[in-house]
Amino acid sequence: ERAGDLEAQVRQALSDMFAGGNGFPQAGDESAVLAEQEQERDRLRSRLRSIDRRLEGYVDSAAKGRLSKEKMHKLSVSAAGDRLAVEDAIEAAELRISAYVDAAGRKRGRERDVAKLLDAWDELGFPERQTGLREAIARVTVTDDDAIKITLRP
């Protein structure tokens, strides 16, 4: 009977968490973080275009005789190094954006799974409920007075 009571408490606590809109933990304002990452990527792309214009300017100046070929070569090598560094930074920013979007998608999927678990609770057998709970909950702490605290998986 104690196991049944504790299971009911876990179900209620999980239901209360998700009904309150809390759900799985998140770090800060998700949309603001994603927007910030996208702005950084866009800023880097703009810098890349600026470097390309600078390179074109070097070639144009050399073609018109305003810049020696040696000086153009030296400036172009420096600009090419800058370009490679910016390309690497863009790639890293895109990977961060992709990882963030993937994590947000996984979180939404897990929240849908918990909602399905709670909705179908009475129709599910013990093994199915246990599997669903294990996927959503990292830890259940039971105190001496049989109160529980659940910790969701990150």
Side-chain angles (χ1 to χ4, degrees):
E1 180 177 323
R2 181 170 189 245
D5 290 343
L6 292 174
E7 183 179 288
Q9 285 182 317
V10 168
R11 176 186 181 189
Q12 188 60 51
L14 192 60
S15 181
D16 291 347
M17 275 184 143
F18 281 84
N22 295 331
F24 287 95
Q26 68 183 40
D29 182 352
E30 291 181 350
S31 59
V33 171
L34 182 59
E36 183 180 308
Q37 293 294 326
E38 289 171 337
Q39 286 173 350
E40 175 65 11
R41 180 200 54 205
D42 294 346
R43 185 189 67 75
L44 289 165
R45 285 181 177 165
S46 176
R47 182 152 182 240
L48 194 62
R49 287 188 297 273
S50 174
I51 291 169
D52 287 345
R53 284 191 302 272
R54 193 172 65 191
L55 281 166
E56 290 171 9
Y58 296 156
V59 171
D60 187 51
S61 292
K64 293 180 180 176
R66 293 183 297 210
L67 189 64
S68 71
K69 287 186 179 184
E70 294 79 23
K71 183 71 172 170
M72 183 202 75
H73 178 72
K74 182 179 176 185
L75 292 171
S76 296
V77 167
S78 174
D82 293 345
R83 190 177 203 294
L84 287 174
V86 171
E87 286 174 346
D88 288 346
I90 289 171
E91 182 178 345
E94 288 175 344
L95 287 172
R96 284 190 305 273
I97 289 168
S98 177
Y100 195 83
V101 168
D102 289 349
R106 282 191 308 274
K107 180 179 176 269
R108 283 189 302 275
R110 289 179 32 218
E111 287 171 346
R112 279 191 304 271
D113 291 346
V114 168
K116 287 178 190 175
L117 171 68
L118 292 171
D119 289 344
W121 188 273
D122 294 327
E123 291 84 42
L124 296 174
F126 181 76
E128 292 86 8
R129 286 193 305 257
Q130 286 298 103
T131 298
L133 290 173
R134 282 192 179 108
E135 289 172 0
I137 299 174
R139 180 177 49 221
V140 176
T141 305
V142 181
T143 62
D144 290 337
D145 59 351
D146 284 343
I148 63 150
K149 178 185 179 215
I150 61 174
T151 305
L152 297 176
R153 294 196 181 278

